[in-house]
Amino acid sequence: LHLERERELFKMATVEPVLQLRDDLRFRMDELLLQRLTLHPSEGLQIQQQVNLVKQQQGAVTGRLRAELLALEEEMAALGLEDCVACGSEADPEPVPGEVLEADCPYPELKLSVLQSFQTLAESYRSRQRGITERMGGMDRCCGWSASDHLCFQWTVGQYGPDLPNHRALCADMLLRLLPHRTRQDLMDHERAWDWLRFSQAQLRALAQAGQRDRGELLARALVTLEEARLAHQEELLLHRERRLQLDTCTQLRDKVQQWRARQEEVSQLEALMAARRQEEEERRLGRRRDSEASVRSHQRDKLKEFYARQQDRKERLERRDEERLALLRSSMEEQARRDQERVRYREETLQLRRQEREAGELQRQREQEETRTRLEALRSQVAVVAEADPERMMGETEAWRSRQNEGCEPQKPLYNINTYTDIQIVSDPRVRVEQALREAGLHQTPYARQVLADIRPPRAPRRDTVSAGLRTDSTPGSYEGK
């Protein structure tokens, strides 16, 4: 309902002003045509102002829509929804392409079968996509976590690659430190859900690619089939026209023969009448009639010969046209066969090239692994511990063993020699005790504390060679600064 209201508001803001302006202009033009009037300059200026106003409104609406489009694109880029939108758009194309719908097919059953094939293919891929989406169970892009926790999880998992030894344990420890409010079971469940989400998205992308490939192949086969059907229909129409032309020719010839027979009957009747009337003069005109009959027969023979010649010529023309059409069809079929062979050869070469690229990639990967192992061996050889053989030291007595052996003789002797001051010696120095008291009182950083510590003398005077030459000349050898 909200989208419907927005659509109505958009229609009222964009389409309605244009329609009203068009109706107003049509009404004015019709009124001017009916009344045979001319447009007043003030009315033209008013119409121009209305058109400019509508253009400004359309420009404002277009600018606002463009701003909203940019904001939505930035939001989608921030949320990372481009892959999901691209996957959904690729996996759910239109069921029947426009080329097939607009193709001219003289056989409705064939076109209906092609359309059903596209519908069946789209329905099969749509059902498979629906099954994958249902298996995902409505999982969002963060797999049930917040966006910050999921981003931290992805970044940490990306830092510990599979080539790192014990990468799973290291990654789990780091995640427990970064996400103390998540348990190890939560991390394992989230990793399993994330793997399932990526696997489902990969399946959707593979399904979309397979659907596009099958749809393209079906589209090519459908177009070829429809084109062949159209050519076959044209051939049938051509044959039908030729047969119709032949029937028309036969009908015309039959009419001519009938006319000729009617004329012959009429001639014979006239001749009988003339013979009955001129029976008396038959002997005198016998020779003339014989001459006329001979001329008529010769004329008829000439007509028959001409008719047979035309018939033979027409037959030869039809045979030549059929032979040319047959040669044209054979050449087109040979050209189609050659194109099919070139297409098959190109596909074989493409498959061979892809196979060679995969083999080259595998060889390159093996070579890189071999180089990595070689560098690791060189590093191991560089940091390896090299020790000389010393059997006497290895089989000799140790310091701990000697100390245990000497414990029975001198029980009060310390285990190790002390080469520094003890705590009693350090505390016996009055400067340490005064500094500790000043530190506890919070006065150890004041000028007073520095002056007091400088005035206190050590328990034993320092040697003269320990005094620095860079000190003040008025400082005494036993002062704190000299120390």
Side-chain angles (χ1 to χ4, degrees):
L1 293 176
H2 179 66
L3 292 176
E4 187 67 26
R5 287 194 296 269
E6 288 185 352
R7 190 178 296 108
E8 292 296 332
L9 293 176
F10 177 77
K11 182 178 179 181
M12 292 177 62
T14 57
V15 182
E16 291 296 335
V18 177
L19 294 178
Q20 291 178 1
L21 179 62
R22 186 186 64 180
D23 296 336
D24 189 12
L25 292 176
R26 285 183 176 178
F27 177 76
R28 291 185 179 183
M29 292 299 296
D30 295 337
E31 186 177 2
L32 291 174
L33 291 175
L34 290 175
Q35 298 180 3
R36 299 184 180 274
L37 300 176
T38 57
L39 188 64
H40 197 269
S42 60
E43 294 181 356
L45 182 61
Q46 184 179 2
I47 292 173
Q48 187 66 30
Q49 290 178 358
Q50 291 180 359
V51 173
N52 293 332
L53 180 60
V54 173
K55 286 184 179 180
Q56 291 177 2
Q57 292 178 357
Q58 296 294 327
V61 173
T62 305
R64 186 167 67 254
L65 291 177
R66 188 177 293 106
E68 292 178 0
L69 175 63
L70 295 176
L72 289 175
E73 288 179 353
E74 292 177 359
E75 184 179 359
M76 290 176 63
L79 295 176
L81 299 177
E82 294 86 356
D83 296 337
C84 296
V85 174
C87 178
S89 63
E90 293 175 358
D92 192 14
E94 58 180 359
V96 181
E99 296 88 346
V100 178
L101 290 176
E102 296 175 359
D104 186 12
C105 181
Y107 305 106
E109 296 80 5
L110 177 60
K111 190 166 185 180
L112 181 60
S113 177
V114 171
L115 296 179
Q116 289 178 355
S117 300
F118 277 100
Q119 292 287 348
T120 303
L121 180 63
E123 185 63 28
S124 63
Y125 277 100
R126 194 179 296 113
S127 62
R128 293 169 61 183
Q129 181 185 3
R130 193 182 304 110
I132 295 174
T133 306
E134 290 177 356
R135 288 201 303 270
M136 291 174 64
M139 189 182 302
D140 58 350
R141 56 186 297 269
C142 295
C143 301
W145 283 16
S146 61
S148 58
D149 292 350
H150 184 67
L151 182 61
C152 180
F153 177 81
Q154 285 184 341
W155 179 82
T156 306
V157 171
Q159 293 296 321
Y160 295 92
D163 53 348
L164 186 66
N166 199 15
H167 67 282
R168 292 184 63 84
L170 296 176
C171 182
D173 294 339
M174 180 58 69
L175 287 173
L176 289 175
R177 292 181 182 179
L178 295 176
L179 304 173
H181 58 283
R182 301 289 184 180
T183 62
R184 188 178 295 273
Q185 185 65 30
D186 294 340
L187 295 177
M188 293 175 63
D189 295 341
H190 187 70
E191 182 180 6
R192 191 179 299 108
W194 187 41
D195 292 340
W196 178 251
L197 179 62
R198 290 187 299 172
F199 174 72
S200 300
Q201 291 178 355
Q203 277 189 332
L204 288 175
R205 288 192 293 271
L207 184 62
Q209 294 175 0
Q212 290 182 354
R213 183 181 64 253
D214 295 344
R215 187 168 177 270
E217 293 177 358
L218 182 59
L219 176 60
R221 291 199 301 269
L223 292 178
V224 171
T225 303
L226 293 177
E227 184 66 21
E228 291 177 354
R230 189 180 64 81
L231 293 177
H233 183 67
Q234 290 181 356
E235 293 177 3
E236 291 180 359
L237 290 178
L238 182 60
L239 292 175
H240 181 70
R241 284 196 295 268
E242 291 177 354
R243 292 174 182 173
R244 187 65 177 270
L245 180 60
Q246 187 176 6
L247 291 175
D248 293 341
T249 305
C250 293
T251 303
Q252 292 177 3
L253 293 175
R254 190 182 301 110
D255 295 339
K256 287 183 179 180
V257 171
Q258 290 178 357
Q259 290 177 4
W260 178 76
R261 287 179 179 176
R263 190 165 53 249
Q264 286 294 107
E265 291 179 356
E266 185 179 0
V267 169
S268 62
Q269 290 178 2
L270 291 174
E271 289 178 353
L273 291 174
M274 291 173 65
R277 290 175 183 176
R278 301 174 183 178
Q279 189 176 4
E280 299 174 355
E281 300 177 358
E282 186 174 357
E283 293 179 0
R284 187 181 55 182
R285 298 181 182 179
L286 181 60
R288 189 185 300 173
R289 187 176 61 184
R290 288 176 182 175
D291 295 338
S292 64
E293 289 179 357
S295 63
V296 171
R297 289 193 184 94
S298 63
H299 183 65
Q300 290 177 355
R301 282 196 298 270
D302 295 338
K303 284 187 177 181
L304 287 174
K305 289 180 181 180
E306 185 180 358
F307 169 74
Y308 289 142
R310 287 200 303 271
Q311 193 76 2
Q312 185 67 24
D313 189 13
R314 186 180 295 105
K315 185 177 181 181
E316 291 177 357
R317 286 201 304 271
L318 291 176
E319 289 180 355
R320 284 197 301 271
R321 185 174 60 184
D322 293 340
E323 290 176 357
E324 292 176 358
R325 181 60 182 173
L326 181 59
L328 180 61
L329 292 177
R330 286 180 178 175
S331 63
S332 64
M333 291 175 64
E334 291 176 357
E335 181 67 19
Q336 184 66 28
R338 185 181 62 79
R339 291 180 181 175
D340 294 340
Q341 291 178 0
E342 291 179 356
R343 220 179 284 126
V344 171
R345 192 181 305 109
Y346 172 73
R347 290 179 180 174
E348 291 178 354
E349 292 176 357
T350 304
L351 291 176
Q352 184 67 20
L353 182 60
R354 290 180 180 174
R355 192 179 300 109
Q356 291 177 2
E357 290 179 355
R358 286 197 298 270
E359 292 177 358
E362 185 66 23
L363 291 175
Q364 182 66 21
R365 187 177 62 80
Q366 294 178 2
R367 194 179 297 110
E368 291 178 355
Q369 292 180 356
E370 186 65 26
E371 291 178 358
T372 303
R373 287 197 293 270
T374 304
R375 288 196 296 269
L376 290 176
E377 291 296 334
L379 291 174
R380 292 193 188 96
S381 62
Q382 290 178 5
V383 300
V385 178
V386 181
E388 297 179 357
D390 191 359
E392 295 181 358
R393 179 174 175 274
M394 182 177 66
M395 302 302 294
E397 299 175 353
T398 61
E399 292 293 334
W401 186 83
R402 292 196 192 96
S403 64
R404 286 196 300 270
Q405 293 296 326
N406 295 330
E407 283 178 0
C409 299
E410 297 180 4
Q412 300 299 327
K413 183 178 179 181
L415 181 61
Y416 301 101
N417 296 326
I418 299 176
N419 297 323
T420 181
Y421 297 99
T422 61
D423 55 348
I424 298 175
Q425 292 175 351
I426 292 173
V427 174
S428 64
D429 193 344
R431 293 174 295 177
V432 175
R433 293 196 297 273
V434 171
E435 193 271 339
Q436 185 67 24
L438 290 173
R439 183 179 295 276
E440 292 178 357
L443 302 173
H444 61 287
Q445 296 291 341
T446 60
Y448 169 75
R450 287 194 291 271
Q451 184 64 31
V452 169
L453 292 175
D455 294 340
I456 298 175
R457 296 181 176 276
R460 185 175 64 183
R463 299 196 308 270
R464 295 180 62 83
D465 57 348
T466 60
V467 179
S468 176
L471 298 176
R472 296 197 304 265
T473 56
D474 58 349
S475 62
T476 60
S479 66
Y480 181 75
E481 294 177 357
K483 182 69 173 176

